[in-house]
Amino acid sequence: MSKMWTLTSFGELHYARWDDSDEVVLYYTGSGDTYLLSQLGYIILEMLQESAKSREDLISALAASDAPHGGDSGIPEEMIDSHLFHFEKLGLVVS
């Protein structure tokens, strides 16, 4: 069975985005830390905010979306794995 990923319940995520940038600033109330995210990282966290998802769910949803690297070319699975690994280390997600 595949791991299910979800956001931690220890705090809220607050984002700031600008139209002329692909980066997103995230403030996490659970730790008081601020992070600079890629557009892909932001999209992954937004998807997990909706509901818990497996790695495969994320891959399918991103491939079907108009997200950066999505669509026909797909997103390298290693990029998704890397984001999930780092988000887990930061305490933003759990599996």
Side-chain angles (χ1 to χ4, degrees):
M1 184 172 170
S2 190
K3 283 190 199 180
M4 296 299 287
W5 293 89
T6 189
L7 297 181
T8 61
S9 58
F10 301 115
E12 297 178 3
L13 305 179
H14 297 278
Y15 302 99
R17 299 176 60 197
W18 292 266
D19 292 336
D20 62 345
S21 176
D22 288 337
E23 296 175 329
V24 178
V25 175
L26 165 68
Y27 174 71
Y28 177 52
T29 63
S31 64
D33 292 327
T34 302
Y35 304 102
L36 183 63
L37 304 176
S38 66
Q39 186 69 17
L40 177 59
Y42 167 73
I43 292 168
I44 290 171
L45 290 177
E46 283 289 294
M47 288 180 170
L48 294 176
Q49 194 161 6
E50 295 169 10
S51 65
K53 292 183 175 42
S54 68
R55 174 184 175 271
E56 292 74 19
D57 293 336
L58 290 169
I59 292 167
S60 296
L62 288 164
S65 75
D66 59 357
H69 306 292
D72 295 334
S73 63
I75 297 172
E77 294 177 15
E78 297 81 17
M79 285 180 70
I80 296 169
D81 292 340
S82 176
H83 278 81
L84 291 171
F85 172 79
H86 289 292
F87 289 156
E88 185 175 39
K89 291 293 182 194
L90 295 172
L92 300 173
V93 301
V94 293
S95 63

